[in-house]
Amino acid sequence: MNRSYALRKNELIEHLAATVDLPKRSVAAVLEALGMHVQRSLPQGNHVTLPGIGRLKTIIQLERCDDPDTGESAVAPTRVMVKFTATRALQEEIETGRYLSTALPQLSTCADPDDS
């Protein structure tokens, strides 16, 4: 799958249905139930663990008075956000997988010593 490719819900349902040999309707119902579970659990302060993928939890981001990008004075209000933490296995796969070797050279911000 290409890095810039966003998997649509229909495509995810089709892929999962073919992988586990279940009807698309059943897979769609499971995804819908998962979404509803997350929507009910997170506002109550509960964590949601997705086995093999990671954990979703809510965090409180306190009010900030300065813009971290520009340093200018700007008030960002306190807000509740959702934080995703990948499992160790997924994080290791990302760090050692093909993504790392293809993406990091393009993201380097250091000047090349040969350019001077």
Side-chain angles (χ1 to χ4, degrees), residues 85-101:
T85 304
T87 61
R88 182 174 298 147
L90 177 58
Q91 188 63 40
E92 288 173 359
E93 179 64 29
I94 291 168
E95 290 174 357
T96 60
R98 291 183 314 206
Y99 177 77
L100 188 66
S101 62

Side-chain angles (χ1 to χ4, degrees), residues 3 97-107:
R3 271 191 328 253
R98 291 183 314 206
Y99 177 77
L100 188 66
S101 62
T102 58
L104 283 186
Q106 301 166 13
L107 298 175

Side-chain angles (χ1 to χ4, degrees), residues 36-53:
M36 290 173 63
H37 174 68
V38 170
Q39 287 180 350
R40 280 194 302 264
S41 296
L42 291 179
Q44 296 173 3
N46 297 325
H47 297 185
V48 176
T49 300
L50 304 171
I53 300 171

Side-chain angles (χ1 to χ4, degrees), residues 3-51:
R3 271 191 328 253
S4 61
Y5 180 75
L7 190 64
R8 293 191 172 100
K9 184 178 177 180
N10 248 12
E11 295 166 327
L12 177 61
I13 290 169
E14 287 176 14
H15 175 73
L16 292 174
T19 301
V20 297
D21 195 28
L22 286 174
K24 290 180 197 175
R25 181 175 286 181
S26 297
V27 173
V30 169
L31 282 178
E32 186 68 28
L34 176 62
M36 290 173 63
H37 174 68
V38 170
Q39 287 180 350
R40 280 194 302 264
S41 296
L42 291 179
Q44 296 173 3
N46 297 325
H47 297 185
V48 176
T49 300
L50 304 171

